[in-house]
Amino acid sequence: MLNQTSVTEFLLLGVTDIQVLQPVLFGVFLAIYMVSVAGNGVILMVVISDSRLHSPMYFFLGNLSCLDICYSTVTLPKMLENFLSTHKAISFLGCISQLHFFHFLGSTETMLLAVMAFDRFVAIYKPLRYTLIMNHQVCTQMAVTIWIIGFFHALLHSVMTSRLNFCGSNHIHHFFCDVKPLLELACGNTDLNEWLLHSVTGTIAMGPFSLTFLSYFYIIIYLFFKTHSLSVLHKSLSTCASHFMVVVLFYAPVVFTYIRPASDSSMDQERIIAIMYSVITPVLNPLIYTLRNKEVEGALRRAIRRRL
């Protein structure tokens, strides 16, 4: 898997090179990371422990919380370390490993959001057959399948990237190891790697996004034509509102980063956009789901009462 290269480590240049901002950014991102882990951890604990939340919707929500904890852990601890360090190095193997787990968890989340949209579609379109269609075995198989697909999608990128030759600069203009910044440092032809990035990763991103969009489109059309009560319509749509907010927050920056061609002038933009989907989205997910979901709020209150 390892390449024929003289580079044994990379230097992550991070979010900014302004030294006076480093301690401030350390405090900000440390707080974000702690809130993200704590918030998603609480949701995961509540979903597992409260029998009233043992349904397909919350099974997938538990998967999402687990993903978000791991997803932010792939990038944030190293970022925090580099804020306080003068030598912002990461080993070659560490870099490839970070790339692998970032794409593994990220691609799994894109597919999970599509599965969650499909779950809401079945719940609204076929309410009487919902428990039959989305039974525990089906939900488990769907979850396992998207985790496996995500792993092998990431393995493709990590193997192909590790086989490149790096004979020049080892300075990565990013706060974590990703395919696009590494391709800019590679010597030789990277056409195949770029094609894989835009075609395979593009498919992994746009396929679930299209399925998610179609699910919500059919939900809205179905409700408008079948529901004559505005209150029932509002209640039905509100069950999907929190999920739709998560979808927009996650897909928009991902599509912007991996679908469009790379350019030298876009590196600063890409770092900011990467912060959106790798740092901000995981910390917002528990807030969105708890603030807009009465069942999760009720489960949290019951959990607190049991411990008091």
Side-chain angles (χ1 to χ4, degrees):
M1 178 176 172
L2 296 180
N3 66 342
Q4 306 292 324
T5 180
S6 58
V7 173
T8 58
E9 66 178 18
F10 294 99
L11 297 179
L12 295 168
L13 300 186
V15 179
T16 178
D17 56 359
I18 303 174
Q19 291 299 319
V20 70
L21 291 179
Q22 304 287 336
V24 177
L25 291 174
F26 173 83
V28 170
F29 284 102
L30 177 61
I32 290 174
Y33 181 56
M34 292 175 66
V35 171
S36 176
V37 172
N40 284 293
V42 167
I43 287 182
L44 186 58
M45 178 195 70
V46 168
V47 167
I48 293 172
S49 63
D50 196 311
S51 59
R52 300 185 192 183
L53 300 184
H54 290 176
S55 65
M57 175 179 169
Y58 295 107
F59 170 77
F60 294 125
L61 178 58
N63 274 262
L64 181 64
S65 294
C66 180
L67 270 172
D68 281 338
I69 292 172
C70 299
Y71 196 42
S72 56
T73 301
V74 169
T75 56
L76 272 171
K78 187 62 181 177
M79 181 201 287
L80 293 171
E81 177 190 335
N82 288 342
F83 279 137
L84 302 180
S85 174
T86 55
H87 186 58
K88 308 176 188 296
I90 184 170
S91 68
F92 181 83
L93 183 59
C95 187
I96 297 299
S97 298
Q98 188 181 54
L99 179 155
H100 172 80
F101 283 102
F102 181 80
H103 280 270
F104 167 36
L105 298 166
S107 58
T108 302
E109 183 157 340
T110 63
M111 292 180 284
L112 178 61
L113 292 175
V115 169
M116 293 174 74
F118 175 74
D119 171 70
R120 292 298 84 209
F121 168 75
V122 176
I124 292 174
Y125 190 70
K126 298 284 187 180
L128 298 179
R129 299 184 61 196
Y130 173 64
T131 54
L132 181 63
I133 296 172
M134 300 297 291
N135 59 63
H136 180 71
Q137 183 180 359
V138 169
C139 291
T140 303
Q141 289 173 345
M142 293 173 78
V144 170
T145 300
I146 60 177
W147 280 84
I148 291 174
I149 292 173
F151 177 84
F152 282 104
H153 164 252
L155 188 64
L156 173 67
H157 284 304
S158 56
V159 169
M160 292 302 296
T161 305
S162 69
R163 293 173 64 86
L164 294 172
N165 290 320
F166 299 94
C167 53
S169 172
N170 67 339
H171 290 65
I172 298 177
H173 294 269
H174 218 310
F175 60 89
F176 68 94
C177 290
D178 198 5
V179 177
K180 290 176 77 172
L182 284 172
L183 291 183
E184 294 181 2
L185 303 181
C187 306
N189 192 302
T190 61
D191 289 345
L192 177 59
N193 298 75
E194 291 176 4
W195 180 82
L196 288 172
L197 183 66
H198 294 299
S199 61
V200 178
T201 304
T203 302
I204 289 288
M206 292 305 297
F209 175 76
S210 300
L211 180 60
T212 303
F213 176 81
L214 285 174
S215 295
Y216 280 110
F217 177 77
Y218 279 114
I219 286 172
I220 292 170
I221 295 298
Y222 175 80
L223 290 174
F224 270 110
F225 281 96
K226 296 291 184 179
T227 307
H228 302 288
S229 170
L230 289 177
S231 61
V232 173
L233 178 63
H234 179 267
K235 182 179 179 181
S236 300
L237 290 176
S238 67
T239 62
C240 303
S242 57
H243 179 214
F244 187 72
M245 290 173 66
V246 172
V247 167
V248 171
L249 286 170
F250 185 80
Y251 277 119
V254 167
V255 170
F256 183 84
T257 299
Y258 293 105
I259 302 302
R260 70 189 186 91
S263 63
D264 293 337
S265 62
S266 67
M267 287 309 300
D268 289 337
Q269 291 180 349
E270 289 188 2
R271 277 183 284 190
I272 295 171
I273 292 166
I275 289 173
M276 275 296 299
Y277 63 80
S278 66
V279 178
I280 303 300
T281 303
V283 78
L284 287 180
N285 283 353
L287 296 176
I288 290 171
Y289 277 106
T290 53
L291 291 176
R292 296 190 58 87
N293 193 306
K294 292 181 180 179
E295 289 181 320
V296 174
E297 288 180 354
L300 282 172
R301 284 194 293 268
R302 289 191 294 273
I304 293 170
R305 282 199 296 268
R306 282 197 299 267
R307 298 187 185 282
L308 289 180

